[in-house]
Amino acid sequence: MIVDPSPSSLARATELLRRDALVAFPTETVYGLGACATSEEGIAKIYRAKGRPATNPLIVHVATIGSLAGYVAPSPREEHRLARLESLWPGPLTVVFESSRGLAANVSSGLASVAIRIPAHPIAQQLLQLVGLPLAAPSANRSNYVSPTTAQHVYDEFGDDIPLIIDGGPCAVGIESTIISIGSSQVRLLRPGIITVEELEGRLGEKLEVTRGEETRPISPGQLATHYAPRTPLVFFDETNVSDIPVRSGLLTLKPHPSKEISERFQEVCALSEHGDLLHVARRLFAALRELDKKQLELIVVERCGSSGVGLAILDRLVRATTKSPTTE
Ligand code: TXA
Ligand code: MG
């Protein structure tokens, strides 16, 4: 059931979470499928609902830096780096620490490490405060499909299998948080997001180890190749011969395509922003992929963006969506 974020729905959500049930809630990045991070039973329900392999760990959300201390004991190196990153929290950043305590073992798939995020969205914040416990929440989509950026997207996939979906409107960021691990000698980027490599390097005063999922073996299960993929095949515009595209194709561009002649060859045309602003593109991307995916097209052709700044995060999602390699998920 989709509900407005009224005090009574938040009270109901709190009660459900405390009883090991699932609640979907908005964050500024994407909607999360939440359970208490101290509840093995609740977490097992997340894996079951998503069809997610038990080997792919979840992100744990906490309300404040202060509440972090109950669940992680940062090493001196992590402590030092955390101090430089603190001003990015609450926000779209997830930090992987080498060890955790007091959380259910299945939240990190039995790994010693834990991924922590402090979301900025007021509804996520309120819920965390009311529950008074950390919440494990992966993106509220079935494993391997596009992340949800509205409550309706969550409902479209799960229907009433999720007892409560709190509607906070469309997500402002639109793509998942940036993930870094900070315990080893070099900080590693595990997933790019709108908090960019450039920004993180500036704050940390050190270079990040940046590996792209498609080029390397996964170091985090989330780096497996086919993630975020719509069901309709997706190809890059610059790898396609426009004269060969099927009649029932869609075109997804960063801004309105300048050529009428090209646009007219496509049955559906969707521009992700008015002027190519990549923050706008990120916000619209997943919703647009879901919309095009409903149109029974044979092919979606997507324009590629550059790889600096926020472009890296958008390109990462597009590359994964276009990859057709088999996956273990
Ligand atoms: O924006 C977000 O991060 C959203 C919202 C709901 O917070 N959540 C999200 O969760 O995207 P999910 O589960 O879809 O992606 C979490 C990623 C996965 O790729 C997982 O492999 C990685 O985080 N991860 C979680 N714990 C980890 C750990 N201990 N070490 C390495 N990677 C980890
Ligand atoms: Mg996900």
Side-chain angles (χ1 to χ4, degrees):
M1 184 169 52
I2 298 182
V3 294
D4 284 332
S6 63
S8 67
S9 335
L10 290 174
R12 172 92 184 111
T14 304
E15 189 190 316
L16 284 166
L17 289 164
R18 290 205 183 129
R19 284 200 278 123
D20 308 313
L22 302 184
V23 171
F25 61 92
T27 80
E28 70 277 27
T29 54
V30 300
Y31 275 70
L33 183 57
C36 268
T38 51
S39 162
E40 292 253 356
E41 195 185 327
I43 288 159
K45 285 182 186 162
I46 293 182
Y47 281 96
R48 262 202 310 278
K50 279 182 65 84
R52 179 168 176 134
T55 49
N56 191 359
L58 308 180
I59 294 178
V60 174
H61 299 69
V62 297
T64 59
I65 300 253
S67 48
L68 193 85
Y71 306 99
V72 283
S75 66
R77 183 191 267 157
E78 288 176 332
E79 191 94 63
H80 170 79
R81 287 172 171 154
L82 192 58
R84 292 175 168 245
L85 296 171
E86 262 179 17
S87 54
L88 295 173
W89 266 346
L93 175 70
T94 297
V95 175
V96 177
F97 293 90
E98 283 187 329
S99 70
S100 69
R101 57 188 178 200
L103 298 170
N106 54 350
V107 84
S108 287
S109 307
L111 298 171
S113 61
V114 66
I116 303 269
R117 173 162 178 237
I118 303 180
H121 197 291
I123 296 170
Q125 274 288 333
Q126 276 180 62
L127 196 58
L128 284 164
Q129 305 273 3
L130 284 168
V131 178
L133 287 167
L135 294 177
S139 51
N141 53 282
R142 294 207 194 262
S143 205
N144 280 340
Y145 196 57
V146 181
S147 290
T149 56
T150 66
Q152 188 61 44
H153 291 163
V154 182
Y155 191 81
D156 287 347
E157 286 199 60
F158 295 104
D160 290 315
D161 291 351
I162 309 293
L164 208 63
I165 302 169
I166 304 173
D167 192 350
C171 299
V173 173
I175 56 172
E176 309 87 344
S177 60
T178 306
I179 308 181
I180 53 173
S181 71
I182 62 170
S184 41
S185 58
Q186 199 174 3
V187 176
R188 276 179 175 178
L189 180 76
L190 300 182
R191 181 172 71 188
I194 67 153
I195 297 198
T196 62
V197 171
E198 293 84 345
E199 174 162 14
L200 289 166
E201 289 181 339
R203 286 181 191 255
L204 288 162
E206 57 180 306
K207 279 279 183 205
L208 256 61
E209 182 186 331
V210 178
T211 48
R212 292 265 298 283
E214 95 235 53
E215 289 159 5
T216 56
R217 276 168 53 79
I219 45 177
S220 137
Q223 294 192 312
L224 289 170
T226 53
H227 235 76
Y228 324 106
R231 292 180 187 94
T232 316
L234 195 97
V235 294
F236 280 115
F237 187 80
D238 58 15
E239 290 173 358
T240 310
N241 190 344
V242 178
S243 55
D244 292 343
I245 60 150
V247 180
R248 299 182 59 80
S249 293
L251 176 65
L252 192 58
T253 56
L254 305 175
K255 58 182 179 199
H257 200 281
S259 159
K260 210 170 161 214
E261 197 194 324
I262 288 185
S263 302
E264 279 173 359
R265 286 176 174 263
F266 291 86
Q267 182 171 317
E268 298 286 337
V269 178
C270 172
L272 291 165
S273 77
E274 225 175 298
H275 305 291
D277 178 334
L278 292 183
L279 289 177
H280 294 178
V281 170
R283 190 177 300 155
R284 278 280 299 138
L285 178 63
F286 288 156
L289 286 174
R290 280 175 180 264
E291 280 157 31
L292 286 176
D293 217 10
K294 282 192 194 155
K295 309 257 181 192
Q296 319 282 339
L297 299 168
E298 284 176 58
L299 188 70
I300 301 171
V301 179
V302 63
E303 188 184 350
R304 190 191 296 272
C305 63
S307 65
S308 62
V310 179
L312 184 70
I314 295 166
L315 200 55
D316 169 80
R317 274 51 171 197
L318 292 179
V319 166
R320 285 159 197 273
T322 53
T323 304
K324 294 298 168 298
S325 65
T327 167
T328 56
E329 278 198 35

